[in-house]
């Protein structure tokens, strides 16, 4: 009778430890699979971003500087602000 109770105990320990090992293996597989899916999505998403068309920037009409005569443009803008080119304001 002593031998059978020891044998039952040993079977219980083996059953529990093998169940825990199988459970841990399944969790590891699931985590690895989820991780690989995330990495794959990031790689694919990174490729999609680089293939997108670049947005064009538009400036307001009063911001764009003409390509012709920059001195004339600056002189005109300075007059609009209330001072001529070359004038220096002195604060007292």
């Amino acid at each position: 009778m002593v031998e059978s109770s020891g044998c039952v105990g040993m079977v219980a320990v083996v059953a529990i430890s093998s169940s825990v090992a199988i459970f841990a293996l399944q969790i590891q597989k699931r985590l690895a699979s989820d991780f690989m899916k995330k990495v794959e999505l990031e790689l694919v998403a990174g490729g999609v971003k680089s293939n997108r068309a670049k947005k064009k920037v538009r400036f307001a009409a009063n911001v764009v500087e003409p390509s012709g005569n920059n001195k004339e443009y600056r002189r005109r803008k300075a007059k609009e602000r209330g001072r001529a080119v070359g004038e220096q304001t002195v604060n007292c």
Side-chain angles (χ1 to χ4, degrees), residues 39-79:
V39 169
E40 184 178 321
L41 286 175
E42 286 183 16
L43 291 175
V44 170
V48 170
K49 287 181 184 176
S50 63
N51 291 337
R52 288 185 187 168
K54 292 184 179 181
K55 293 183 179 180
K56 293 184 179 180
V57 178
R58 294 186 206 171
F59 293 98
N62 62 351
V63 175
V64 179
E65 220 174 288
S67 60
N69 187 352
N70 291 332
K71 290 180 183 178
E72 177 62 32
Y73 177 78
R74 288 191 182 103
R75 185 177 305 123
R76 190 176 64 232
K77 287 297 176 182
K79 286 181 181 178

Side-chain angles (χ1 to χ4, degrees), residues 5-26:
S5 66
C7 186
V8 171
M10 183 61 98
V11 170
V13 168
V14 170
I16 291 173
S17 62
S18 62
S19 297
V20 169
I22 291 172
F23 182 69
L25 185 63
Q26 292 298 322

